[in-house]
Amino acid sequence: MNKKKLLITGGAGFIGSHVVRLFINKYPDYQIVNLDKLTYAGNLANLTDIENAPNYTFVKGDINDAEFIQKLFDEHQFDSVIHLAAESHVDRSIANPNEFVMTNIVGTLNLLNAAKLHWTDNTEGKMFYHVSTDEVYGTLGETGLFTETTSYDPRSPYSASKASSDHLVRAYFHTFNLPIVISNCSNNYGPNQFPEKLLPLVIHNIKHEKPIPVYGKGENVRDWLYVVDHAEAIDCIFHKGVNGETYNVGGNNEWRNLDLVHLLIKLTDQRLNREEGHSNKLITYVKDRAGHDLRYAIDASKIMNELNWAPTQDFEKELGGTIDWYLKNEKWLNDVTSGEYQKYYQKQYVTR
Ligand code: NAD
Ligand code: TYD
């Protein structure tokens, strides 16, 4: 097995922490550096179980700082990058697009430049893996699926910034022969997701009997994938993906928001020993998100057929386990929802 020197960016965030855990446990021979700025979304409490592993180093730093990134590459001589660091919440991108352009586009460019500079002489065994989203493809009507050849049509500042970073990564492949792979994944759910996103927010509000904000009529559709399945897809693409290729990753698991909220109410009320339908009264229709994409759905047949990956998990089982995790991890939720998040929440929901 190659002794890899791997940089994972954004490893203290939701998906990143699951990727770091998987790689630390599965590849004891790899030297893994987790670079994270620890923004509001990054939390080292996500990684306490592996923080003392001998193959793990955490570095607090900003991908927007080009000089710092170059020095980090000088110091560690990485041969691979799995790049997850990003501003990731659509509503925040509507409120403040600039930060998304800085981190998602300029930050990615800084990493590409460092990899290019350090790998020019020999690209053997090198890989720059860019983790992206299905939102770059825009929105679907009632039918159809996103494939790897669907035209880009991003419609939020978040998805536009991710689309732009995807284009840069491909440009570095074509122009500078930088070895790259990209994956575009659908919505993830699971433990450790920041509670501004739909699932943890709804579970939290059911528990505390607070209004559950449903945008518009709740008719938008998302394809939900368990975060551990995504981490395994990333492992699979990192090791077996073909240089220059893109892989779509999805759960083949479409849910209308309102139906998903009802399922969350059912499963959460059961766990709290409340009578069936108790929390239905919390559903509150609020003003729709600006430019709200109607439907996302992924055709994942390329990764399934070519790399032999499949989402292995059972949705109701994993969703139940996810709810159990949020109900049990009260301290984690309280810690991340104190301070700054309260201000965000007031602005996003209460003054509407
Ligand atoms: P997240 O917001 O939970 O975590 C992002 C992490 O990046 C945080 O730890 C944060 O501290 C770090 N970060 C932000 N800015 C940084 C900077 N300038 N320098 C260094 N670190 C910085 O996001 P997530 O949901 O885990 O998403 C991870 C990646 O996966 C993103 O690139 C996102 O676009 C992509 N993605 C997410 C989903 C999803 O459903 N959450 C789906 C598909 C793709
Ligand atoms: P979200 O978790 O923000 O993911 P994304 O926008 O990247 O798909 O939202 C998932 C869906 O839930 C999306 O259609 C918006 C909707 N939504 C609500 O109805 N209410 C909410 O409070 C939030 C955060 C999202």
Side-chain angles (χ1 to χ4, degrees):
M1 190 192 287
N2 272 349
K3 196 176 165 72
K4 289 229 166 276
K5 290 186 195 135
L6 169 62
L7 171 66
I8 299 181
T9 71
F14 167 47
I15 301 170
S17 60
H18 289 274
V19 173
V20 167
R21 176 174 300 102
L22 177 71
F23 274 69
I24 290 291
N25 290 329
K26 193 165 170 188
Y27 303 107
D29 282 353
Y30 292 8
Q31 282 306 320
I32 296 170
V33 172
N34 171 15
L35 166 65
D36 198 297
K37 185 181 171 183
L38 299 181
T39 67
Y40 77 95
N43 188 351
L44 289 178
N46 295 345
L47 291 166
T48 44
D49 55 326
I50 56 91
E51 67 189 2
N52 294 320
N55 55 343
Y56 176 68
T57 308
F58 174 72
V59 176
K60 183 172 188 298
D62 190 342
I63 59 168
N64 297 343
D65 182 345
E67 206 178 309
F68 161 75
I69 294 295
Q70 290 289 353
K71 283 193 188 134
L72 194 72
F73 270 72
D74 288 343
E75 186 187 342
H76 292 276
Q77 297 295 318
F78 301 117
D79 51 34
S80 329
V81 177
I82 302 180
H83 174 37
L84 296 113
E87 289 293 336
S88 67
H89 189 40
V90 174
D91 293 322
R92 285 185 192 253
S93 83
I94 295 166
N96 180 11
N98 294 39
E99 233 176 306
F100 285 70
V101 170
M102 285 313 297
T103 293
N104 297 0
I105 306 177
V106 179
T108 302
L109 184 67
N110 291 336
L111 290 163
L112 287 167
N113 282 335
K116 171 177 167 276
L117 189 76
H118 286 79
W119 299 349
T120 22
D121 295 337
N122 181 11
T123 54
E124 185 68 34
K126 310 287 196 296
M127 179 54 74
F128 189 103
Y129 181 170
H130 179 58
V131 176
S132 192
T133 167
D134 62 354
E135 302 189 26
V136 298
Y137 298 122
T139 185
L140 292 164
E142 309 247 306
T143 58
L145 300 171
F146 296 133
T147 72
E148 287 80 1
T149 54
T150 300
S151 301
Y152 275 35
D153 184 21
R155 297 151 65 99
S156 75
Y158 165 65
S159 53
S161 67
K162 290 297 289 188
S164 176
S165 63
D166 292 9
H167 289 321
L168 281 169
V169 173
R170 276 191 202 99
Y172 272 58
F173 168 71
H174 290 293
T175 309
F176 305 116
N177 291 322
L178 194 80
I180 65 109
V181 279
I182 299 177
S183 57
N184 297 86
C185 186
S186 62
N187 288 61
N188 285 210
Y189 71 94
N192 304 101
Q193 187 170 31
F194 196 83
E196 65 191 353
K197 304 273 170 68
L198 181 71
L199 259 87
L201 188 143
V202 169
I203 297 164
H204 187 62
N205 287 12
I206 295 171
K207 180 173 178 188
H208 295 285
E209 307 223 50
K210 286 171 61 179
I212 300 169
V214 173
Y215 295 168
K217 295 181 182 157
E219 282 173 348
N220 304 67
V221 173
R222 298 291 182 264
D223 170 6
W224 292 95
L225 178 71
Y226 188 50
V227 64
V228 175
D229 280 337
H230 188 192
E232 283 169 2
I234 289 173
D235 177 20
C236 176
I237 293 166
F238 179 72
H239 290 98
K240 298 198 276 183
V242 175
N243 185 14
E245 289 293 315
T246 294
Y247 299 89
N248 279 357
V249 183
N252 194 20
N253 180 36
E254 290 182 46
W255 283 82
R256 209 167 61 109
N257 289 343
L258 192 57
D259 297 333
L260 184 57
V261 166
H262 278 293
L263 180 60
L264 287 165
I265 287 175
K266 183 180 125 195
L267 297 177
T268 309
D269 276 346
Q270 273 171 4
R271 284 162 169 77
L272 295 171
N273 294 319
R274 294 175 182 165
E275 70 192 46
E276 188 163 348
H278 173 87
S279 298
N280 284 340
K281 60 179 184 289
L282 300 176
I283 292 176
T284 308
Y285 294 96
V286 298
K287 189 172 155 230
D288 207 355
R289 174 186 278 171
H292 197 173
D293 290 337
L294 177 67
R295 176 172 164 260
Y296 305 141
I298 283 275
D299 175 352
S301 52
K302 180 174 172 182
I303 181 175
M304 293 174 87
N305 295 337
E306 295 181 14
L307 305 186
N308 208 19
W309 170 88
T312 51
Q313 314 293 347
D314 172 298
F315 184 53
E316 280 219 15
K317 178 173 154 268
E318 298 306 349
L319 193 63
T322 299
I323 294 168
D324 290 337
W325 189 88
Y326 286 102
L327 294 180
K328 211 171 89 194
N329 286 273
E330 181 79 38
K331 181 171 165 14
W332 184 92
L333 263 175
N334 286 341
D335 287 352
V336 299
T337 52
S338 62
E340 270 309 301
Y341 179 69
Q342 288 304 327
K343 287 187 212 151
Y344 164 82
Y345 197 89
Q346 293 300 325
K347 221 167 144 197
Q348 176 70 14
Y349 295 107
V350 179
T351 58
R352 240 206 275 261

